[in-house]
């Protein structure tokens, strides 16, 4: 069996919401993870929240996955709830894709059906 991609979990939004915060151990392990993946012709992705392009560039990632399961709901209690969550997330992804170097970036997201059912009605 050959894997085509692997995902490193987790990178979290820093308290100020402007960048990715890695645990100290991740700062050492993530480069090793990417190097091993690339040596085996496997795409290295990171499960993340924000500050994406800096993280992708710094660690030479092939892509990013967002774990966003609670649009318009409190989730684990650390997110701000807004009725515009789904629209804001789609706007964020559009903005992200327009960033320099993001055209070849693999972007995926684990989202709840709330996001899909709310937005599909408007497409």
């Amino acid at each position: 069996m050959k894997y085509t991609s692997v995902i490193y979990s987790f990178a979290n939004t820093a308290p100020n919401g402007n960048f990715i915060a890695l645990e100290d151990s991740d700062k050492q392990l993530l480069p090793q993870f990417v190097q091993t993946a690339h040596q085996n012709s496997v795409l290295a992705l990171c499960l993340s929240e924000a500050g994406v392009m800096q993280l992708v560039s710094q660690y030479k990632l092939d892509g990013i996955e967002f774990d966003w399961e609670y649009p318009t709901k409190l989730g684990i209690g650390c997110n701000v709830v807004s009725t515009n969550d789904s629209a804001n997330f789609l706007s964020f992804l559009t903005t992200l894709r327009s960033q320099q170097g993001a055209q070849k970036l693999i972007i995926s997201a684990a989202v709840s059906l709330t996001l899909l059912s709310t937005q599909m009605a408007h497409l």
Side-chain angles (χ1 to χ4, degrees):
M1 176 185 311
K2 176 162 172 50
Y3 295 100
T4 58
S5 62
V6 289
I7 298 175
Y8 188 92
S9 299
F10 283 95
N12 295 307
T13 305
N16 70 6
N18 292 328
F19 64 93
I20 295 290
L22 293 175
E23 298 291 330
D24 286 339
S25 60
D26 291 323
K27 292 175 185 175
Q28 295 174 351
L29 295 173
L30 186 53
Q32 294 171 9
F33 172 84
V34 172
Q35 181 181 12
T36 301
H38 288 168
Q39 285 173 344
N40 290 284
S41 300
V42 175
L43 298 174
L45 309 169
C46 184
L47 189 56
S48 180
E49 298 303 326
V52 175
M53 293 310 294
Q54 176 186 356
L55 185 74
V56 167
S57 177
Q58 181 176 354
Y59 293 101
K60 298 179 176 76
L61 295 166
D62 300 300
I64 202 87
E65 176 164 310
F66 297 94
D67 183 19
W68 193 57
E69 301 170 17
Y70 302 103
T72 70
K73 295 183 176 48
L74 190 55
I76 61 172
C78 64
N79 58 313
V80 176
V81 177
S82 169
T83 56
N84 297 319
D85 280 350
S86 296
N88 289 340
F89 186 61
L90 291 175
S91 177
F92 164 75
L93 293 175
T94 301
T95 301
L96 174 62
R97 182 57 79 193
S98 70
Q99 299 297 305
Q100 182 179 4
Q103 293 74 25
K104 295 181 181 178
L105 186 67
I106 297 168
I107 300 173
S108 63
V111 299
S112 76
L113 288 177
T114 303
L115 171 72
L116 298 176
S117 61
T118 302
Q119 290 303 306
M120 292 303 281
H122 302 295
L123 296 178

